[in-house]
Amino acid sequence: MASQESIIASQEPKITSQEPKMISQEPKTTSQEPKMISQEPKTTSQEPKMISQESKLASQEPTVTSQEPTVTSQEPKMISQGSKSASQEPNTSSQEPVTTTSSNPSSKYSNRVVLKTILEPSDRWKEFVDERVVVGGWVKTSKEVNKEPAVPEPQQQATEAPNVSPGHKDVRCVEIFQSRIPIFRSIAKIFGGGGSSHPVREKPEPAIPEPPRPSVAYLLVSDGSSVASLQVVVDSSIAPLSQLLPIGTCILVEGVLKEPSMQGKHSIELKVEQILHIGKVEQDRYPLSKKRLPLEALRDCSHFRPRTTTVASVTRISSALTFATQTFFHDKGFLYVQVPIITTTDGEGFSEKFQVTTVLGKDGKQNDTGGVSLEVVKAAVIQKSNLVEELKRSESNREALASAIQDLRKTNQLASQLEAKEKLKSGPSMKADKPSFYGDFFSQQTYLTVSGLLHLESYACAMGNVFSFGPRFRADRKESAKRISEMWMVEVQMAFSQLEDAMNCADEYFKFLCKWILKNCSEDMKFVSKRIDKSSSYRLESMISSSIEKISYMEALKKVAVKFELNQEWGIALTPEHLSYLAEDVYRKPVIIYNYPKELKPFYVRLNDDGKTAAAFDMVVPKAGTIITGSQSEERIDILNKTIEELRLPREQYEWYLDLRRHGTVEHSGFSLGFDLMVLFTTGLPDVRDVIPFPRSRGKANN
């Protein structure tokens, strides 16, 4: 017996230390004879040892052993610890997933992996299975799923009891006694309750709050880089799921990419191991939800609508068209030129312009005449001068005197403006060198540009072929689905070229844009074809394959007159409805209409030899209408001077423009493409306000 106790005692440190290798390496400390004896119970004692450890874990953490998902979710945590050590040691091999994903240009300045790298093309996700990544984005939809309930502890003891001998050393007497306490209490009630008249009052046991049931959150996260979203799985043991579930929450997480355990529409998902950032959402004020909102409603919250799939796809298509524009003209040898937004020149001669001024009244309105006659203003000047003199004599109220003097000064400014306008009206032409506003920022009237073609001509006449890309402004009060106050234009000018050259360049450029979108935005176009316009991709393909139709203004007028019962009178303007009929119903492809009446085109367009038509054209495409307008500019100074006089344009505004004809004139032509209309044509959306990030229309400039 003593030898067995010594053997058992010698085995106890082996059980606690759990390092059999270290003990086996030191055979000199024990004798060889008991060594063979101690090896026999050694093998048998290890089996209950493992079972007893499981029972301890089961008694301490009943949810761990019974819930398989929790065990599997803890596995990546060991990997994440390895990644932390790997981050401290850059030369370790655990950083390989980061170097694999670093090939994406978007992740160059961050350790975040862009979702497009994983999700596009649709079968690329196979390369990233079991890779550790950091992803970030905004929650689009969320769902919380409770795990399976834990197996009760008595049931676990019942199932494990046959495998554990009652007299095993690992089962302590205290544990056995604690497990039998409910039985002893029930026996005491039976025997003690009958012999006493007063029932024994037991102390109430303190109520133990039930721990929250473990659950898993399934988040659909998008970072705006692709149509597809990534399913992100977060266990409740990692973070409070209530912070992650609201739609619009921004998260930055680290985890391992895995194939989903259950087959569904997601090919890959991210098992989160660490939460790096949570951007919370005020749910009662956040405008977006799971329900699809109409585009009209999204215009009132233009700062949030890029988070919707539709607006995000439109934005990516718009970005691709921008890059395609730069690529096309760069490959063709064009130079990019920035033209001014603030200008003193009316680019068309008769357009509605936004005037730029810093002279504002107390109410924020511009100190313009507002229809007040010069006589009324002069009378007001006399009246306010008398009031100032009275206040000076009384010397009773200095504040009133200062206010009256300031009011008189503004009235004098208004009178000066009216006198200047009267002089300009009485003269043969307007003089732009006269200041329009006394004390204004600029010394003469300035506007937001409606077109940059005139300024672009000066660079074309020096450097050959040039183009520009920027915003253009029109103060047009008419509401239109294809025209608002601020729109972006691509403008082109080519030296040593004529009208036919401009038409050919416009045709080639338009088809290049269509090809680019089909090739580089295939996933977005699939979404557009599914949600917005089923014929969008087919329409782009037909534009590429079809040859453009070129007809004169008179031919177009004849075809339109039959349909709309119009008189074939020279000079009738073709409406957008007429042009859409030609492109969609008559020819069913792009149509170029050229040689318009000179009265319908700007003053700078070259006059044809017939003296009636101007060398201008419009390109009309199905769905979008007129998308490109172009012309050959008038290079002959005598004809250009005559046109300016006939239209009574302010000659002083165009002296610099006439200098291009005086000094080294050259034939040149160009065109302008409505960039927002091109996006409209590509996506099939009906209103241009839905393709412009922050639309500006009459009465609406919210942010």
Side-chain angles (χ1 to χ4, degrees), residues 29-318:
T29 57
T30 57
S31 62
Q32 293 181 356
E33 292 180 358
K35 182 178 179 181
M36 295 179 65
I37 300 171
S38 63
Q39 284 177 351
E40 292 179 0
K42 189 176 182 180
T43 56
T44 56
S45 63
Q46 284 178 353
E47 294 179 0
K49 173 185 170 182
M50 295 175 65
I51 297 170
S52 63
Q53 287 178 352
E54 291 177 0
S55 63
K56 287 180 182 181
L57 290 172
S59 62
Q60 294 173 2
E61 300 178 3
T63 58
V64 175
T65 56
S66 62
Q67 295 178 359
E68 296 178 357
T70 309
V71 177
T72 55
S73 65
Q74 287 180 350
E75 292 178 359
K77 291 184 179 180
M78 298 175 64
I79 304 173
S80 65
Q81 291 173 359
S83 65
K84 291 179 181 180
S85 61
S87 62
Q88 297 173 358
E89 299 177 4
N91 295 326
T92 58
S93 59
S94 61
Q95 272 193 342
E96 289 180 0
V98 180
T99 57
T100 302
T101 56
S102 64
S103 59
N104 181 17
S106 301
S107 62
K108 180 178 180 181
Y109 305 106
S110 172
N111 61 345
R112 179 180 70 92
V113 176
V114 178
L115 296 184
K116 183 178 181 179
T117 308
I118 305 170
L119 303 174
E120 289 186 9
S122 58
D123 59 345
R124 192 177 181 182
W125 59 269
K126 298 178 181 178
E127 304 175 9
F128 294 89
V129 175
D130 296 330
E131 295 286 349
R132 175 180 305 282
V133 294
V134 175
V135 301
W138 289 263
V139 177
K140 296 184 66 177
T141 60
S142 61
K143 180 175 66 174
E144 184 178 6
V145 178
N146 292 325
K147 294 183 179 180
E148 295 180 1
V151 180
E153 185 176 352
Q155 185 177 350
Q156 291 180 355
Q157 293 177 356
T159 56
E160 295 176 359
N163 297 328
V164 182
S165 59
H168 196 275
K169 194 74 176 179
D170 287 341
V171 181
R172 295 179 298 176
C173 295
V174 177
E175 295 177 356
I176 297 173
F177 181 76
Q178 289 178 350
S179 63
R180 300 296 188 267
I181 286 176
I183 300 174
F184 295 149
R185 285 179 179 175
S186 60
I187 294 172
K189 287 181 181 180
I190 294 172
F191 289 98
S196 175
S197 59
H198 300 284
V200 178
R201 181 175 298 175
E202 298 180 358
K203 290 183 179 181
E205 297 183 1
I208 301 175
E210 295 184 1
R213 295 183 62 183
S215 59
V216 177
Y218 293 89
L219 311 175
L220 204 61
V221 175
S222 172
D223 64 356
S225 63
S226 65
V227 177
S229 301
L230 179 66
Q231 180 168 279
V232 176
V233 183
V234 186
D235 194 274
S236 58
S237 62
I238 298 176
L241 300 186
S242 59
Q243 299 179 4
L244 305 174
L245 294 174
I247 295 174
T249 302
C250 179
I251 62 172
L252 183 68
V253 296
E254 180 183 356
V256 178
L257 293 168
K258 297 285 186 180
E259 293 188 41
S261 56
M262 298 180 63
Q263 294 295 330
K265 61 180 181 179
H266 300 286
S267 302
I268 193 170
E269 64 184 15
L270 181 71
K271 299 285 187 180
V272 174
E273 299 171 357
Q274 187 178 5
I275 304 290
L276 304 177
H277 171 76
I278 299 177
K280 298 181 181 180
V281 170
E282 297 181 16
Q283 299 184 50
D284 54 340
R285 300 180 61 183
Y286 190 63
L288 304 182
S289 63
K290 290 183 179 180
K291 296 181 180 180
R292 193 184 306 174
L293 296 176
L295 294 174
E296 295 81 2
L298 291 174
R299 294 171 194 163
D300 295 331
C301 55
S302 54
H303 52 301
F304 282 126
R305 65 177 185 171
R307 299 186 185 183
T308 63
T309 308
T310 300
V311 177
S313 289
V314 171
T315 304
R316 286 189 293 268
I317 291 173
S318 177

Side-chain angles (χ1 to χ4, degrees), residues 266-398:
H266 300 286
S267 302
I268 193 170
E269 64 184 15
L270 181 71
K271 299 285 187 180
V272 174
E273 299 171 357
Q274 187 178 5
I275 304 290
L276 304 177
H277 171 76
I278 299 177
K280 298 181 181 180
V281 170
E282 297 181 16
Q283 299 184 50
D284 54 340
R285 300 180 61 183
Y286 190 63
L288 304 182
S289 63
K290 290 183 179 180
K291 296 181 180 180
R292 193 184 306 174
L293 296 176
L295 294 174
E296 295 81 2
L298 291 174
R299 294 171 194 163
D300 295 331
C301 55
S302 54
H303 52 301
F304 282 126
R305 65 177 185 171
R307 299 186 185 183
T308 63
T309 308
T310 300
V311 177
S313 289
V314 171
T315 304
R316 286 189 293 268
I317 291 173
S318 177
S319 177
L321 288 171
T322 302
F323 186 73
T325 296
Q326 297 283 347
T327 302
F328 175 82
F329 290 111
H330 178 270
D331 293 345
K332 300 297 180 183
F334 285 73
L335 297 176
Y336 174 72
V337 177
Q338 296 174 344
V339 296
I341 292 178
I342 298 176
T343 178
T344 60
T345 305
D346 186 349
E348 295 182 353
F350 49 82
S351 56
E352 295 290 334
K353 304 175 293 296
F354 286 102
Q355 191 161 331
V356 178
T357 180
T358 57
V359 179
L360 298 175
K362 293 181 180 179
D363 56 355
K365 295 182 179 179
Q366 184 175 312
N367 277 339
D368 204 349
T369 61
V372 181
S373 63
L374 180 60
E375 290 76 12
V376 174
V377 176
K378 287 183 177 181
V381 169
I382 297 173
Q383 182 180 1
K384 292 179 180 181
S385 298
N386 295 334
L387 177 61
V388 168
E389 294 298 329
E390 291 179 3
L391 291 173
K392 285 182 178 180
R393 288 193 297 268
S394 62
E395 296 183 356
S396 58
N397 193 340
R398 293 184 179 181

Side-chain angles (χ1 to χ4, degrees), residues 460 464-465 494-498 501 665-669:
N465 297 342
M494 301 178 291
F496 307 100
S497 67
Q498 298 180 351
D501 301 316
T665 185
V666 62
E667 286 186 344
H668 54 280
S669 64

Side-chain angles (χ1 to χ4, degrees), residues 344-532:
T344 60
T345 305
D346 186 349
E348 295 182 353
F350 49 82
S351 56
E352 295 290 334
K353 304 175 293 296
F354 286 102
Q355 191 161 331
V356 178
T357 180
T358 57
V359 179
L360 298 175
K362 293 181 180 179
D363 56 355
K365 295 182 179 179
Q366 184 175 312
N367 277 339
D368 204 349
T369 61
V372 181
S373 63
L374 180 60
E375 290 76 12
V376 174
V377 176
K378 287 183 177 181
V381 169
I382 297 173
Q383 182 180 1
K384 292 179 180 181
S385 298
N386 295 334
L387 177 61
V388 168
E389 294 298 329
E390 291 179 3
L391 291 173
K392 285 182 178 180
R393 288 193 297 268
S394 62
E395 296 183 356
S396 58
N397 193 340
R398 293 184 179 181
E399 293 181 359
L401 176 61
S403 177
I405 292 174
Q406 185 178 4
D407 193 17
L408 176 61
R409 186 182 297 113
K410 290 182 178 180
T411 308
N412 284 325
Q413 292 176 4
L414 183 58
S416 300
Q417 295 170 20
L418 290 174
E419 289 178 354
K421 286 191 174 184
E422 291 293 334
K423 292 179 181 179
L424 290 174
K425 288 181 180 179
S426 61
S429 63
M430 299 177 66
K431 294 184 179 180
D433 57 347
K434 294 287 184 181
S436 299
F437 288 91
Y438 179 79
D440 205 349
F441 188 87
F442 295 106
S443 60
Q444 58 194 100
Q445 286 184 333
T446 54
Y447 315 96
L448 296 180
T449 182
V450 297
S451 173
L453 286 173
L454 300 189
H455 291 89
L456 205 59
E457 282 187 40
S458 62
Y459 274 77
C461 292
M463 307 185 74
N465 297 342
V466 294
F467 78 102
S468 184
F469 181 33
R472 307 293 179 255
F473 307 88
R474 290 180 183 271
D476 193 352
R477 295 180 178 271
K478 296 179 182 178
E479 294 289 339
S480 174
K482 297 179 181 178
R483 180 71 63 183
I484 59 174
S485 301
E486 179 184 352
M487 299 182 68
W488 280 61
M489 305 290 290
V490 178
E491 295 170 328
V492 181
Q493 282 290 349
M494 301 178 291
F496 307 100
S497 67
Q498 298 180 351
L499 181 66
E500 190 71 20
D501 301 316
M503 289 192 290
N504 294 335
C505 182
D507 181 22
E508 188 175 354
Y509 168 51
F510 172 72
K511 290 182 178 179
F512 180 86
L513 295 180
C514 296
K515 291 179 184 178
W516 188 276
I517 292 299
L518 290 175
K519 181 180 179 181
N520 296 282
C521 300
S522 57
E523 295 298 325
D524 286 303
M525 288 307 300
K526 287 179 183 177
F527 173 80
V528 167
S529 299
K530 181 180 178 181
R531 291 285 184 90
I532 301 175

